[in-house]
Amino acid sequence: MQPGLVSLAGGNPYLQSLPLDRLGATAAKIIAEHGLEALQYGGGQGTLELRTQICEVMAAEGILDADPDNVVITAGSQSAQDVAAKVFCNPGDVILLEDPTYVGALNTFEAYEVDVQPVSGDEHGIIPSLLRERIAALQAEGKRIKLLYTIPNFNNPSGVMLAPERRQEIVDICREANILVLEDNPYGLLKFDGVLPAPLRAANPEDVLYLGSFSKIFAPGLRIGWALVPAHLKQRYYLASEAVTLCPPTFNQLLVSDYLRNYNWLGQVATYRSLYRERCMALLEALDEFMPEGVSWTTPEGGFFVWLTLPEGIDTYPLLYKGIDAGVVFVPGAAFSAARGPSNKLRLAFSAVPPSELREGVRRLAPVLADAIGAN
Amino acid sequence: MQPGLVSLAGGNPYLQSLPLDRLGATAAKIIAEHGLEALQYGGGQGTLELRTQICEVMAAEGILDADPDNVVITAGSQSAQDVAAKVFCNPGDVILLEDPTYVGALNTFEAYEVDVQPVSGDEHGIIPSLLRERIAALQAEGKRIKLLYTIPNFNNPSGVMLAPERRQEIVDICREANILVLEDNPYGLLKFDGVLPAPLRAANPEDVLYLGSFSKIFAPGLRIGWALVPAHLKQRYYLASEAVTLCPPTFNQLLVSDYLRNYNWLGQVATYRSLYRERCMALLEALDEFMPEGVSWTTPEGGFFVWLTLPEGIDTYPLLYKGIDAGVVFVPGAAFSAARGPSNKLRLAFSAVPPSELREGVRRLAPVLADAIGAN
């Protein structure tokens, strides 16, 4: 094992498994043969070809009725979130979300001075009855709840998958309360085994605004994501997106289109699934082997992350520096919580790290956590 | 002359003069040799290499003291505008701007429910004394004025250049009134002849937020622009930009970096200058030859556009359809005005059209305008 730092912090996809030489040749061909299109301004909604192909990607994700006309391509799905908050929320409006949730979404929503409110969940995701109670309580306080932001498949950071049997009820509760569901599904195809659960959007075209991304199944450096928008909201959403970036990068769209057309992209997804499964298993085995009493963790069925819980009273933020001294990096839990207070949780990412290094990272982390538990 | 439609509408750069085969080979090399960086997430502010090179581009534009640490790379300068409005304005705040001005800026600002207020100008741009009066009048009404948005070099759509002798006074007026200047300078290097006037930012690092773009000097389809932010505002601006797009596209940044490092980019700018100069001259000559009595127009010293004024009482919007019937397209003036009412102006873009076609377009347009003037 090399002496360097083991980073279990960043949720980067493992790009080493992409065919880089061939992709380079494809990029060259696009510029040489279609450069006047690739390097020029394009339409604000994105190319029709890529929007049509995105509908095929969403079909693989479990959405069978998507219309390219309701797809808006964005500069990564981060930008699609930003536009959703901009279009649907005023300062003080409430966005409900899982706690923990994606730090980038918290940053986006807070920039609009939105009131982000956590909804309680368990190892199977949001609990419908508690969602209903939370909505009632907030409405009783006079709050205007506009969106439920959720990552139902392999939540970042928790790795939790929303149970299939809870899904329709959650949409129904939101529909009754006039709350739009903002479903963020970047990891949907990266379930390790078995059948993919249907997205919330699948059976609910008017109630769910669905966010997708090529960052986890292809290449985040291209910044190509999308929104599938309910038909009655599409025009507003599209114009707002156009006002933010004018158009998504044309060259990048053509490169993604070629990848979807001429490469075995589903084969690459299968490669990723088994790669990430192997890494997740290695991480979980190492946790079993090394973690001290008092630490518990999630058992993800897909995605990039495992979420650790330490005993109450321990703040994982100062442990970050002790971890670095011990040669391992993680992300403290506070970042992922709307409360942003001290947190006894932390996130480990297995996506970018080979199994032997994952094991070494956990081996280094264990005494740091054991010391903190002993001192607690 | 071909029988097809002559489009004088779109302000597209003329990419035919770029070395597409060589650019394709560069793109291939970047992915093959640096694919793990190019296709991966990058930093939210953009790469240090490109930010450093952008400081060299700005030096050519007349800004000699830019620090890469204060440069934030964005998904086109449209996104940089969007972030500026988001960070500095609340609903109801005033943004002062030229009338006419860039339609994309109007769309961006209106999305934030900002109160856009035009400032009077003439063929040499904003008139300082009138700016001072306008600010006083708005403040007397209790308005909070946050920004002056201006395109001092070859305004889109008017083609007007702000007179060098007015520039410092305009910044001084804004500084005294605590108004940040948002200087949008995509066409700055595209002055046809002679010395480039110094940007407003040049001598005023704390009072001007400067927006730059590779869309007009290289390739809009890459969507790479930037903001040079006053040091005391940089952190706020950067975090807001990161919340919108996470990071600018890495691959595109590496491609622009290689272009600036290994190509004769200033030679390409010189090629563009003389190309656009020739086209502008052809358009102006055709206007002299064909336009009926009662039509006047600007005489740009750079950029992409000429702005026509018809007699009062004529609305150019319905003339668009008559123009299309006659085989020529332009953009009616209403789009470029905060008032968005009927307009007796229209924009002609010469950037993407060869001289002979420009002449044919104007020849077709002339009787449409003559009829409208006759009927007025």
Side-chain angles (χ1 to χ4, degrees):
Chain A
M1 185 64 218
Q2 70 270 37
L5 213 55
V6 174
S7 177
L8 307 177
N12 284 355
Y14 189 71
L15 302 180
Q16 282 84 340
S17 82
L18 288 173
L20 294 178
D21 282 331
R22 187 175 165 205
L23 284 169
T26 298
K29 193 173 144 85
I30 288 170
I31 294 187
E33 296 179 11
H34 307 283
L36 300 184
E37 180 188 359
L39 300 178
Q40 192 55 274
Y41 291 109
Q45 196 175 346
T47 68
L48 178 59
E49 181 183 18
L50 183 53
R51 286 186 282 120
T52 305
Q53 293 172 307
I54 282 171
C55 291
E56 293 162 24
V57 173
M58 288 191 286
E61 291 170 348
I63 297 170
L64 303 176
D65 64 348
D67 180 342
D69 196 43
N70 295 327
V71 175
V72 177
I73 298 173
T74 56
S77 73
Q78 184 83 21
S79 187
Q81 277 170 25
D82 174 75
V83 172
K86 187 175 188 172
V87 169
F88 301 115
C89 297
N90 291 311
D93 286 349
V94 170
I95 298 182
L96 300 171
L97 33 70
E98 287 136 5
D99 190 350
T101 194
Y102 171 50
V103 57
L106 289 170
N107 291 339
T108 296
F109 299 151
E110 286 169 6
Y112 289 100
E113 298 168 45
V114 167
D115 180 7
V116 289
Q117 292 280 352
V119 174
S120 297
D122 58 19
E123 72 275 24
H124 302 295
I126 293 171
I127 299 166
S129 61
L130 296 184
L131 173 63
R132 203 186 297 272
E133 284 173 23
R134 190 95 181 96
I135 290 171
L138 288 163
Q139 288 180 334
E141 288 176 41
K143 302 271 193 187
R144 297 179 309 273
I145 310 172
K146 294 295 181 68
L147 298 174
L148 168 68
Y149 172 76
T150 177
I151 308 168
N153 292 325
F154 327 119
N155 174 289
N156 175 2
S158 73
V160 161
M161 184 180 88
L162 177 62
E165 61 275 17
R166 292 184 183 176
R167 295 187 173 211
Q168 189 57 45
E169 190 177 355
I170 284 172
V171 180
D172 292 341
I173 291 168
C174 288
R175 182 194 302 111
E176 285 160 24
N178 202 23
I179 297 168
L180 183 67
V181 177
L182 189 57
E183 178 178 28
D184 192 7
N185 196 23
Y187 310 100
L189 288 174
L190 299 178
K191 187 163 187 283
F192 303 142
D193 300 289
V195 178
L196 301 180
L200 301 172
R201 163 60 180 76
N204 300 286
E206 296 305 313
D207 305 300
V208 180
L209 197 158
Y210 180 87
L211 307 180
S213 174
F214 289 105
S215 291
K216 308 306 189 288
I217 60 171
F218 182 29
L222 300 177
R223 311 307 301 127
I224 297 290
W226 70 88
L228 172 64
V229 187
H232 66 287
L233 300 172
K234 180 260 173 142
Q235 191 64 10
R236 258 174 87 196
Y237 187 92
Y238 154 61
L239 290 174
S241 180
E242 189 177 58
V244 174
T245 49
L246 207 58
C247 62
T250 325
F251 176 36
N252 306 32
Q253 292 178 78
L254 297 188
L255 190 56
V256 175
S257 273
D258 190 289
Y259 180 71
L260 294 172
R261 192 190 322 112
N262 294 325
Y263 291 62
N264 179 13
W265 73 270
L266 274 170
Q268 181 68 41
V269 167
T271 300
Y272 275 135
R273 281 184 181 196
S274 81
L275 179 88
Y276 294 139
R277 179 184 189 282
E278 181 194 9
R279 290 176 177 198
C280 185
M281 294 308 118
L283 179 61
L284 292 172
E285 280 168 23
L287 290 169
D288 275 334
E289 181 176 349
F290 293 113
M291 277 296 127
E293 190 78 22
V295 181
S296 61
W297 53 88
T298 55
T299 302
E301 294 180 58
F304 284 11
F305 308 108
V306 171
W307 185 238
L308 270 62
T309 300
L310 278 66
E312 294 281 346
I314 296 177
D315 179 4
T316 55
Y317 193 80
L319 301 185
L320 172 60
Y321 301 98
K322 294 183 179 171
I324 291 171
D325 287 342
V328 60
V329 197
F330 59 85
V331 184
F336 304 99
S337 172
R340 305 260 174 154
S343 167
N344 61 329
K345 321 267 187 175
L346 63 88
R347 187 188 82 176
L348 301 181
F350 53 79
S351 52
V353 183
S356 63
E357 233 177 288
L358 286 165
R359 187 171 185 279
E360 174 64 15
V362 172
R363 197 187 64 75
R364 294 176 185 181
L365 181 61
V368 174
L369 303 190
D371 284 355
I373 292 169
N376 189 36
Chain B
M1 186 61 220
Q2 70 270 37
L5 213 56
V6 174
S7 176
L8 307 176
N12 284 356
Y14 189 71
L15 302 181
Q16 282 83 342
S17 81
L18 288 174
L20 295 179
D21 281 332
R22 188 177 164 203
L23 284 168
T26 298
K29 193 174 144 83
I30 288 170
I31 294 186
E33 296 179 10
H34 306 283
L36 299 184
E37 179 188 359
L39 300 179
Q40 192 54 274
Y41 291 110
Q45 195 175 345
T47 69
L48 178 59
E49 180 183 18
L50 183 54
R51 286 186 282 119
T52 304
Q53 293 171 306
I54 282 172
C55 291
E56 293 162 23
V57 173
M58 288 192 285
E61 291 171 348
I63 297 170
L64 303 176
D65 64 348
D67 180 341
D69 196 44
N70 295 326
V71 174
V72 178
I73 298 174
T74 56
S77 73
Q78 184 83 21
S79 186
Q81 276 170 26
D82 175 74
V83 173
K86 186 174 188 173
V87 170
F88 301 116
C89 298
N90 292 310
D93 286 349
V94 170
I95 298 182
L96 299 171
L97 34 69
E98 288 135 5
D99 190 351
T101 194
Y102 171 51
V103 58
L106 289 171
N107 291 340
T108 296
F109 300 151
E110 286 169 5
Y112 289 99
E113 298 168 46
V114 166
D115 180 8
V116 290
Q117 291 281 350
V119 174
S120 297
D122 58 19
E123 71 275 24
H124 302 295
I126 293 171
I127 299 167
S129 60
L130 297 184
L131 172 63
R132 203 187 294 273
E133 284 173 22
R134 190 96 180 95
I135 290 171
L138 287 164
Q139 288 180 333
E141 287 176 42
K143 302 273 194 185
R144 297 178 309 272
I145 311 173
K146 294 294 182 68
L147 298 174
L148 168 68
Y149 172 76
T150 178
I151 308 168
N153 292 324
F154 326 119
N155 173 290
N156 175 2
S158 73
V160 161
M161 184 179 89
L162 176 62
E165 62 274 18
R166 292 182 182 177
R167 295 188 173 211
Q168 189 57 46
E169 191 177 354
I170 283 171
V171 179
D172 291 341
I173 291 168
C174 288
R175 182 194 303 110
E176 285 160 24
N178 202 22
I179 296 168
L180 183 67
V181 177
L182 189 56
E183 178 178 29
D184 192 7
N185 196 24
Y187 310 100
L189 287 173
L190 299 178
K191 188 164 187 283
F192 303 142
D193 301 290
V195 178
L196 301 180
L200 301 172
R201 163 61 180 77
N204 300 285
E206 295 304 313
D207 305 299
V208 180
L209 197 157
Y210 180 87
L211 306 180
S213 174
F214 289 104
S215 291
K216 308 305 188 289
I217 61 172
F218 182 30
L222 299 177
R223 311 307 301 127
I224 297 290
W226 71 88
L228 173 63
V229 186
H232 66 288
L233 300 172
K234 179 258 168 145
Q235 193 64 9
R236 257 174 88 195
Y237 187 92
Y238 154 61
L239 290 174
S241 179
E242 190 177 57
V244 173
T245 50
L246 207 60
C247 62
T250 325
F251 177 37
N252 306 31
Q253 293 179 76
L254 297 187
L255 189 55
V256 175
S257 274
D258 190 290
Y259 180 72
L260 294 173
R261 193 190 323 113
N262 295 325
Y263 291 62
N264 179 12
W265 72 271
L266 274 170
Q268 180 68 40
V269 167
T271 300
Y272 275 135
R273 281 184 181 195
S274 80
L275 179 90
Y276 294 140
R277 178 182 190 282
E278 180 193 10
R279 291 176 176 198
C280 185
M281 295 306 119
L283 179 62
L284 292 171
E285 280 168 23
L287 290 168
D288 274 334
E289 181 176 348
F290 294 112
M291 277 296 127
E293 190 78 26
V295 180
S296 61
W297 54 88
T298 55
T299 304
E301 296 179 59
F304 284 10
F305 307 108
V306 171
W307 184 238
L308 270 62
T309 300
L310 278 67
E312 294 281 345
I314 295 176
D315 180 4
T316 55
Y317 193 79
L319 301 185
L320 173 60
Y321 302 97
K322 295 182 178 170
I324 291 170
D325 287 343
V328 60
V329 197
F330 58 85
V331 184
F336 304 100
S337 172
R340 306 260 173 151
S343 167
N344 61 329
K345 321 268 187 175
L346 63 88
R347 188 188 81 175
L348 301 181
F350 52 79
S351 53
V353 184
S356 63
E357 233 178 287
L358 286 165
R359 187 170 185 281
E360 175 65 15
V362 172
R363 197 187 65 72
R364 294 176 184 179
L365 181 62
V368 174
L369 302 190
D371 284 355
I373 292 169
N376 189 36

